[in-house]
Amino acid sequence: MTDKFISIESVSKRFPAAGGGSTTVFEDLWLSMARGEFVCIIGHSGCGKTTVLNILAGLEAPSDGAVIVDNQAIEGPSLDRAVIFQSHALLPWLTVMGNVAYAVASKWRFMNRGDLNRQAQKFIDLVGLTGAEHKRPAELSGGMKQRVGIARTLSIEPKIMLMDEPFSALDALTRGTLQDEVRRICLETGQTAFMITHDVDEAIYLADRVVLMTNGPNAVLAEIVENPLPKERQRNDVHRHPLYYGVRNHIIDFLVSRSKNFADEMAGTNYDRRHVPVVRPGTPQVSATRPASLDSTDGGQARSPMQVVADFPTSSRPSLAQHRA
Amino acid sequence: MAVTWRAALVSLLLFGTFIGVWHLATRGGGPVASMDPEYAKLVGATASQGKSAMPGPADVGLKIWQHLKDPFYDRGSNDKGLGIQLAYSIARVMIGYLIAVAVAIPVGFLIGMSPLMSRALDPFIQVLKPISPLAWMPLALYTIKDSSLSSIFVIFICSLWPMLINTAFGVAAVRKEWLNVARTLEVGTFRRAFTIILPAAAPTILTGMRISIGIAWLVIVAAEMLVGGTGIGYFVWNEWNNLSITNVITAILVIGVVGMVLDQVLARATKLVTFPE
């Protein structure tokens, strides 16, 4: 891979445990992302997804390993890596304009008032909040608050957007609209995005690649699912795509059973933390170590969408029932 | 609206009942016996006319009216208008209180932001906080050698603790996500202190200031009784020595009203800096 814009290299996170010793959230975690890529990470609660995101953001330091962004190891938070928080984290004493302008003023410290407001206004307009500039967060609905959060994040024109379940607190309708907007904005501005989600449909709609994480503690990245859907997809008909349910079922199967038993599943295979298996549900060939082979452009549309192929035989995968027996 | 009106009506009723009972209880039993006028003057109205020793509501009302008519007269060191005495007390409270604000808020910030300083200063605060402010008075008089400044010092020391503790708590309890916003925006320490922590902690800080002004107003009366000279506390003690219970009751009422005003001012201020999420 030539374009490793973000590279998580052998990162571990351990917390001191209650009775001495330590709990390992995850260790020796490797993941890289290309510039302009949209990656979603899915896993059960407590598996350490948020920790990965916080380490990427620089809000938490890894116990071991490093994160390299744009050929530089990160040391703490940066304006280049903007975070959209799950709980929007707006400052309640500032207006919508105040919240966005605060971020703008943090990035461009000597910008004059006029330019500052123009920049903030541009992004308030972009997320469709024109007219609500002088409202305070308490006067806004949940969806509008999250829009302000998005505007604040975008206004500083970051290189990377990190999103921690940004839409999980919203109703389905608002969530759909905001997904559309985030997708449009990311495509338009060429943003690199890393998003934590619990919503499989959201991941398939937004992501180029979906990273599956096993249950913690000692979580590992189980697979990277390449999204076989075309880049130009519409939310209203994405689920009609022949490959859609193949991807969806693959991810749900993982969440339902494989996420618990992944260690057993990997026993005796050539699973390598550094080269996480890449799967492309609905296409015949998949390589664990050479994702370049995925570039074969047949798209896989002609094949059965249910055909899930990895570099380990699906049939040999022990079922949950067998393991409990 | 309806509840407000009904509550006001009940308040009025209670007040009326109180005044009525007070009036009946202090009515007195009428003339006792005919006695020599010279002797009657000597024993006073209570013994000669059967008047109650306790002033009634009408006496107090008349006294209040006299004070309101002429609040700022000055007829020597032991006879000053209620307005002048109040002004002395309020000025002392304000000076001591503002010095306490200037000390408590920065130190509270330091304690709230630095776990090290929080632990290092904690034993001092724990020991100093429960000391009755008046216990400092002899030491203050001995070192400062000025009774008025000593009472200001006592006000300072008593208003310090609630503000200090509330500021430290408010600063330490700022929501982590707001701090994370500041961190991801690479906001420097000073800007973060003024633009994130101060507004986030402002409601808690102002609650501490409100508790402090209440305590300061309680303490000034006691302090002025001790140091004497001027002030509403001295006025109360002086009138007690004059055995003018009417003036004492008047002063009690005035102290209550001023305390309420001070409290309400800070309550309003707290409202101004509190933003719902």
Side-chain angles (χ1 to χ4, degrees), chain A residues 213-280:
Chain A
M213 200 163 175
T214 64
N215 292 1
N218 296 306
V220 296
L221 300 188
E223 276 177 8
I224 294 170
V225 177
E226 294 250 358
N227 195 340
L229 302 182
K231 191 97 179 164
E232 308 73 37
R233 43 187 185 256
Q234 298 295 320
R235 200 165 56 84
N236 50 12
D237 63 2
V238 69
H239 59 283
R240 294 209 180 85
H241 194 276
L243 293 177
Y244 186 82
Y245 279 95
V247 185
R248 193 172 193 277
N249 290 344
H250 184 82
I251 297 173
I252 287 175
D253 281 344
F254 174 83
L255 287 175
V256 170
S257 55
R258 293 177 57 214
S259 58
K260 296 188 206 76
N261 306 313
F262 191 73
D264 302 326
E265 184 181 320
M266 282 304 102
T269 66
N270 62 346
Y271 172 77
D272 178 3
R273 288 167 188 271
R274 191 163 177 176
H275 302 285
V276 178
V278 177
V279 297
R280 192 176 166 96

Side-chain angles (χ1 to χ4, degrees), chain A residues 58-59 77-79 83 85 87 89-93 102 106 109 136 138 152, chain B residues 177-178 180-187 191-192 195-196 199-200 275-277:
Chain A
L59 293 171
S78 155
L79 284 157
V83 184
F85 297 91
S87 52
L90 299 181
L91 306 174
W93 54 88
Y102 185 77
S106 302
R109 279 166 208 196
R136 286 186 206 280
R152 178 173 66 183
Chain B
E177 53 189 37
W178 294 336
N180 278 345
V181 167
R183 287 178 66 198
T184 55
L185 293 174
E186 296 185 55
V187 174
R191 187 157 178 258
R192 189 183 48 173
T195 59
I196 305 271
F275 296 96
E277 281 178 55

Side-chain angles (χ1 to χ4, degrees), chain A residues 29-43:
Chain A
L29 188 134
W30 295 75
L31 179 70
S32 57
M33 287 171 65
R35 199 183 288 269
E37 193 178 22
F38 201 122
V39 169
C40 278
I41 185 160
I42 284 193

Side-chain angles (χ1 to χ4, degrees), chain B residues 22-23 26-27 51-66 245-247 249-250:
Chain B
W22 182 13
H23 176 73
T26 55
R27 200 174 33 164
K51 199 174 182 308
S52 168
M54 203 63 189
D59 304 316
V60 173
L62 187 70
K63 199 51 142 189
I64 292 174
W65 176 242
Q66 284 168 0
I245 304 301
T246 322
N247 266 328
I249 295 173
T250 306

Side-chain angles (χ1 to χ4, degrees), chain B residues 17-189:
Chain B
T17 313
F18 170 72
I19 295 290
V21 171
W22 182 13
H23 176 73
L24 289 177
T26 55
R27 200 174 33 164
V32 187
S34 54
M35 53 176 80
D36 181 36
E38 292 271 325
Y39 184 64
K41 223 176 187 176
L42 208 67
V43 295
T46 310
S48 60
Q49 295 159 28
K51 199 174 182 308
S52 168
M54 203 63 189
D59 304 316
V60 173
L62 187 70
K63 199 51 142 189
I64 292 174
W65 176 242
Q66 284 168 0
H67 280 300
L68 281 178
K69 260 199 328 200
D70 189 13
F72 297 110
Y73 70 87
D74 187 355
R75 293 193 278 271
S77 61
N78 272 346
D79 193 6
K80 292 186 203 304
L82 205 54
I84 291 181
Q85 306 286 33
L86 269 179
Y88 273 113
S89 297
I90 292 172
R92 282 183 192 132
V93 164
M94 281 306 148
I95 295 168
Y97 180 77
L98 289 178
I99 298 171
V101 169
V103 172
I105 291 177
V107 176
F109 251 77
L110 185 70
I111 294 172
M113 286 176 88
S114 150
L116 173 83
M117 290 313 283
S118 168
R119 294 211 184 161
L121 290 173
D122 189 57
F124 299 103
I125 295 172
Q126 295 302 331
V127 170
L128 293 173
K129 185 178 62 150
I131 298 171
S132 164
L134 293 172
W136 292 98
M137 189 58 100
L139 195 63
L141 287 169
Y142 182 72
T143 43
I144 302 172
K145 297 185 178 68
D146 180 292
S147 62
S148 193
L149 284 181
S150 294
S151 57
I152 290 173
F153 171 77
V154 167
I155 293 302
F156 161 77
I157 205 89
C158 78
S159 23
L160 189 67
W161 311 113
M163 281 194 271
L164 185 66
I165 289 163
N166 265 44
T167 305
F169 175 76
V171 168
V174 172
R175 292 256 298 270
K176 193 147 190 261
E177 53 189 37
W178 294 336
L179 295 175
N180 278 345
V181 167
R183 287 178 66 198
T184 55
L185 293 174
E186 296 185 55
V187 174
T189 312

